[in-house]
Amino acid sequence: MSYKLFIPGPVEVSPSVYKAMTTPVFGHRSPDFVELYQSVQPRLQQLFFTGDPVYISTSSAWGVMEGALRNLTEKKVLNICSGAFSDKWHDVAKRCGKDAGAIKYDWGTPIDPEDVRRELSTGAYDTVTFIHNETSTGTMNPLAEIMAVVREFPEVISIVDSVSSFSVLKIPKDELGIDVLLTGSQKALALPPGMALFSASPRAHERAEKLADRGYYFDFLEFRKNHEKGMTPSTPVIPLIFGLRAKLEEIFEEGLDARFERHARLNAKVHAWIDRHGLETLPPRAFASKSLSCVKNLHEWDLPAIIAHLKEHYNCAIDAGYGKIKGKTFRISNMGDETDETMETLLRQLDETLAALGYTS
Ligand SMILES: *Cc1c(COP(=O)(O)O)cnc(C)c1O
């Protein structure tokens, strides 16, 4: 049973990626693997806008999100919380036994850089975590402005999650001074789940060198040591790396600027649909995500009925809201390989579904 995914992750995977993933595997210490690993590195660095290494982790994003804390937080971490994933990061920091403070926002409220400055000015922190694009609330935080503030505190290592915004728009890691930028495979990159990518600055590695309890599986220094040989610390998910190589070819064939422009254009189409129905995004429009739309269910539509109808009649899926805003919001993804045609088709099918269910708006 397969149906087309417009949920904000996992998203639709292209046939070419699935096909690449059927390439027979080889030993992860073989020259063939080294060649594969090194072949994706230059394009990954281009996509991360970085001169630092880009590491491949066989885990979902959470592995690296937790690992980064274990590698980098010596004194205290500031977790900026404004949605399901960023709230959870605070919980994970505590579960790792880290001293953790938080700035807490209502879901859908963007991060205010002034709050970050006030909190970091206490001098209590040596690390900060935040999410560029909160997938649960469809909120895109002002990354450049937040990073400008974080850079005022040279002792603070920044860990930024770009799981649902990576390659959707330009995130110039080095220029912004982001120490650790991480993403996962199954959202903005439109690969199947099971792999995370991250790039870490020299500063981040220096901090890791000072920490004793980094563990093994997510030890940044193990990643660096193996990276230098064109390898990963443990046996990686080789089929996903084949998929990644195929995806990078597609991305660079389209061109980065064209890819960024396509996401903005498709996102604007969803926004036009939202306006046409007298609806609103959960965050203020200026902070609405470019890769998905989290829409307030202002007309109290029966979302499970809409979703069941879409699946039954059109073989596709949107999302009925995440966590505590389930039912109060719904989400439509435009990330990955979507086109004008696929988004227009979805929005038309949504309209037909609304009509079929007797909603007139
Ligand atoms: C999905 C998501 C995660 C967690 O990803 P997993 O693949 O489940 O580990 C983290 N952050 C953001 C912003 C996400 O959207």
Side-chain angles (χ1 to χ4, degrees):
M1 169 71 196
S2 90
Y3 44 95
K4 186 160 166 54
L5 299 174
F6 290 95
I7 58 172
V11 306
E12 197 66 11
V13 176
S14 70
S16 60
V17 165
Y18 277 133
K19 182 161 178 288
M21 289 180 66
T22 63
T23 311
V25 299
F26 31 59
H28 66 294
R29 301 294 180 219
S30 69
D32 290 325
F33 181 78
V34 173
E35 194 189 316
L36 172 65
Y37 185 95
Q38 290 177 339
S39 73
V40 294
Q41 195 55 215
R43 281 173 166 171
L44 285 178
Q45 284 180 312
Q46 264 178 278
L47 263 188
F48 274 83
F49 294 87
T50 189
D52 296 329
V54 179
Y55 301 138
I56 298 174
S57 172
T58 296
S59 66
S60 76
W62 270 118
V64 177
M65 292 163 79
E66 173 169 338
L69 296 167
R70 299 190 61 193
N71 275 269
L72 303 170
T73 302
E74 191 177 22
K75 203 161 71 175
K76 185 172 183 179
V77 59
L78 174 63
N79 305 120
I80 310 179
C81 302
S82 58
F85 295 104
S86 46
D87 289 0
K88 185 81 193 166
W89 217 347
H90 183 49
D91 175 44
V92 170
K94 288 186 281 191
R95 291 190 195 203
C96 287
K98 298 296 180 184
D99 193 4
I103 301 175
K104 291 191 174 158
Y105 293 101
D106 291 337
W107 284 21
T109 303
I111 297 170
D112 181 346
E114 283 311 315
D115 295 334
V116 181
R117 180 180 285 115
R118 195 177 327 111
E119 196 59 28
L120 291 181
S121 296
T122 62
Y125 301 99
D126 64 358
T127 24
V128 61
T129 71
F130 64 93
I131 290 180
H132 176 216
N133 192 60
E134 237 308 344
T135 319
S136 60
T137 66
T139 307
M140 194 163 260
N141 287 304
L143 180 61
E145 290 80 357
I146 298 167
M147 281 311 303
V149 167
V150 173
R151 284 199 309 272
E152 293 168 16
F153 303 89
E155 71 283 10
V156 175
I157 298 280
S158 51
I159 311 166
V160 180
D161 167 325
S162 67
V163 171
S164 58
S165 56
F166 184 76
S167 82
V168 167
L169 71 178
K170 184 175 176 181
I171 304 178
K173 173 181 162 292
D174 289 359
E175 194 184 306
L176 295 178
I178 297 170
D179 288 297
V180 176
L181 182 65
L182 67 97
T183 191
S185 53
Q186 79 277 21
K187 296 194 189 161
L189 278 173
L191 294 168
M195 183 177 68
L197 302 167
F198 68 108
S199 180
S201 68
R203 276 160 39 92
H205 290 92
E206 279 161 33
R207 174 69 61 76
E209 281 162 7
K210 294 202 292 171
L211 268 74
D213 51 358
R214 304 185 301 275
Y216 165 68
Y217 196 72
F218 296 107
D219 180 357
F220 284 16
L221 304 184
E222 284 287 345
F223 275 98
R224 182 173 62 186
K225 193 175 78 188
N226 281 277
H227 172 86
E228 284 162 5
K229 297 183 287 189
M231 294 178 195
T232 51
S234 52
T235 319
V237 62
I238 297 174
L240 273 174
I241 305 179
F242 285 127
L244 172 65
R245 186 170 65 179
K247 176 51 68 186
L248 289 170
E249 256 156 48
E250 287 175 12
I251 290 174
F252 282 88
E253 204 169 296
E254 178 180 19
L256 291 192
D257 288 340
R259 180 177 174 86
F260 300 156
E261 199 278 324
R262 175 170 58 81
H263 279 88
R265 189 176 72 242
L266 301 186
N267 188 249
K269 275 193 208 291
V270 180
H271 284 194
W273 180 90
I274 291 169
D275 292 338
R276 204 157 65 236
H277 286 279
L279 294 167
E280 289 167 12
T281 54
L282 180 65
R285 194 61 70 92
F287 297 94
S289 164
K290 296 281 178 219
S291 61
L292 74 132
S293 300
C294 183
V295 190
K296 290 188 206 165
N297 187 15
L298 290 178
H299 308 314
E300 298 188 357
W301 289 338
D302 181 347
L303 298 177
I306 290 173
I307 285 165
H309 192 275
L310 277 175
K311 194 167 162 187
E312 187 184 338
H313 295 268
Y314 304 106
N315 209 39
C316 68
I318 63 166
D319 170 87
Y322 194 101
K324 68 184 181 190
I325 52 175
K326 193 176 181 72
K328 297 196 181 78
T329 58
F330 57 97
R331 298 181 302 165
I332 301 172
S333 165
N334 62 275
M335 63 182 100
D337 304 327
E338 300 310 336
T339 64
D340 292 276
E341 198 206 325
T342 62
M343 292 311 297
E344 280 162 15
T345 301
L346 171 72
L347 297 174
R348 194 185 61 242
Q349 291 170 343
L350 252 174
D351 283 342
E352 288 169 8
T353 298
L354 291 171
L357 296 177
Y359 294 119
T360 48
S361 104

